[in-house]
Amino acid sequence: MRKIIFIIATLFLSIPVLTAQEKETPPEGGTPLGFTVPEKEIVNLDNGLTLVMVPYGAIPKATIRVSIATGNVHEKEDQVWLSDLMADLLEEGSLTYNAKQIADKMANMGGNLNVRVSPHHTSFNSSVLYEYTPDALTLIGDVIQNPAWPESEIDRLKNDMKRNITVSLSRPQAQASRDFFSSLYPDHPYGKVYTTEAMVDSFTIEDIKNFYNENVGAKRTTIYVAGRFNKQKVTDAVKNTFSNWKEGPEVSYPQAVANAQGSVKIIDRPDAPQSTILYGLPVANTGSEDHVALSITNSLLGGSFGSRITSNIREDKGYTYSPRSTVNNNYKTSIWYESADVTTEFTGASLEEINKEITRLQNEPPTAEELKGIQNYEAGIFVLRNSSPGGIIAQLEFIDLHELDDSYLTNRVENIHAVTPGQVQQMTKKYIDPSQMTLVVVGDKKVIQKQIQETLNTDAIKQ
């Protein structure tokens, strides 16, 4: 035992003593390398379907995404989450195989099948051993083209959906999101974040079938395959499985114009120890020449752990644990917003500090050193996101949605490093104006209303 203690003590004595400056200054990181889009091959079928194949990596698996350009964005006012219910029912099986048989077959291929719905896409996703890629595509094609629509499952799925709504809307973050986005997009599906139990009860099998027939087809479908696979066998499987599928409608997204008229709303949560804040406004969309500079501005202002707003209200003031700003990108429309759960007594003070940081950046550009740290962080994160087959597919789907070309990806790192301190200041002046913000706060009204009125100098608060 004494010998062990002696060895440990010797090791500690051999550790070099660092100066105060060395302790405070970490070694400088290298500049992230640029990103090159892996070589891809595109096959277009006569019915409008597109196959995108990206050989990538050494792991003997292929990631598959069959992405159909429809989702919540195509729901009518009385159909909120109807596309989600359609996806749930598609997972229940085809005319050929039931849900258990599909799950067993996918498991034998080394993967599983999940169907996801977003505002813009309904996607069928799997990752399988490379030799089973053609079989997986054939099975997914059967699920998509030959749904069984089992009416026996509809009540169970609707009950699950209603339970999820109840659980979600018991949380202040969901309540804030619901009202924040409905304020910014009052007449568009982007503003309908949550459905209601009554609406779910009204959905029928016929509603689901009609939505499917009106929105799903080959012209709106892109099949992405990335990883290790046999290109010829994948191409043959897609052609054999999908060539005779109906064309369906063209890709078409209803455009939205976000409400630029700021407003303030309090959702009362009596005796809540925290206030949930969403605070933002419309900004430049992904197609704008300002998009990259704005994204770097967001990261510096509030969108990264080392950002100014985070350092202020989390590290310095201790008002909140996890504040963050985001640029929310939809089709040809984007919103910048700050979100935070803050201690109730500091609700007004938190808003004041957020506005102070915005005003400070409007009046004075960041130092080159501060900006460089943010640029390295954003460039590094971007490259890491694209270091897997699934990440590559997500980026390709993103540029397809926003009608961008490959240069958006290949030039991204270079464009990030080209942003100047002056541009960051200009973006803040041009787009992030506290006087035009929409604010939604979920909290104890009797405590926070006066704070908000005094901080924002307004009496116009919605209830």
Side-chain angles (χ1 to χ4, degrees), residues 234-253:
V234 164
T235 302
D236 291 343
V238 168
K239 287 181 176 179
N240 291 336
T241 303
F242 289 94
S243 288
N244 294 323
W245 191 25
K246 65 171 186 175
E247 291 185 357
E250 300 278 356
V251 175
S252 177
Y253 293 118

Side-chain angles (χ1 to χ4, degrees), residues 6-40:
F6 175 78
I7 292 171
I8 294 173
T10 303
L11 287 172
F12 273 111
L13 289 172
S14 66
I15 295 174
V17 178
L18 300 177
T19 66
Q21 183 178 4
E22 287 173 327
K23 290 179 182 178
E24 293 175 0
T25 307
E28 184 175 344
T31 301
L33 300 175
F35 172 71
T36 302
V37 179
E39 183 180 350
K40 62 180 187 285

Side-chain angles (χ1 to χ4, degrees), residues 266-448:
I266 295 174
I267 301 171
D268 193 18
R269 192 175 174 88
D271 302 322
Q274 289 186 323
S275 296
T276 296
I277 294 172
L278 261 67
Y279 189 45
L281 75 174
V283 293
N285 64 46
T286 54
S288 167
E289 61 182 10
D290 290 337
H291 174 68
V292 174
L294 181 63
S295 68
I296 297 302
T297 301
N298 166 67
S299 186
L300 186 146
L301 183 60
S304 61
F305 192 76
S307 67
R308 290 187 174 188
I309 292 174
T310 301
S311 297
N312 184 327
I313 64 175
R314 183 187 190 275
E315 303 297 330
D316 296 344
K317 306 294 190 307
Y319 295 161
T320 176
Y321 182 75
S322 55
R324 189 169 183 85
S325 68
T326 303
V327 178
N328 177 268
N329 295 308
N330 281 309
Y331 180 71
K332 298 190 183 299
T333 180
S334 297
I335 290 170
W336 178 90
Y337 67 93
E338 174 76 25
S339 61
D341 294 315
V342 303
T343 306
T344 296
E345 64 181 301
F346 298 119
T347 303
S350 297
L351 289 168
E352 183 177 358
E353 294 303 322
I354 291 168
N355 286 342
K356 279 183 180 178
E357 293 297 347
I358 293 169
T359 301
R360 181 161 76 99
L361 198 54
Q362 289 175 337
N363 294 334
E364 182 180 335
T367 65
E369 183 180 9
E370 180 185 15
L371 178 57
K372 182 181 178 182
I374 293 294
Q375 289 169 318
N376 285 344
Y377 168 77
E378 286 295 327
I381 289 293
F382 174 75
V383 173
L384 282 174
R385 284 182 185 140
N386 298 302
S387 61
S388 68
I392 291 169
I393 288 174
Q395 290 293 338
L396 294 177
E397 187 180 56
F398 179 88
I399 64 173
D400 286 347
L401 166 65
H402 295 289
E403 300 168 2
L404 306 168
D405 58 38
D406 285 356
S407 66
Y408 175 88
L409 300 177
T410 54
N411 298 338
R412 179 78 177 183
V413 171
E414 179 183 347
N415 289 337
I416 284 172
H417 286 291
V419 175
T420 67
Q423 282 180 289
V424 171
Q425 180 185 15
Q426 181 188 16
M427 292 300 100
T428 315
K429 281 183 177 181
K430 186 174 180 180
Y431 293 109
I432 307 178
D433 181 357
S435 69
Q436 301 298 315
M437 297 276 199
T438 289
L439 170 67
V440 173
V441 184
V442 180
D444 189 351
K445 179 184 171 185
K446 65 181 181 294
V447 177
I448 66 176

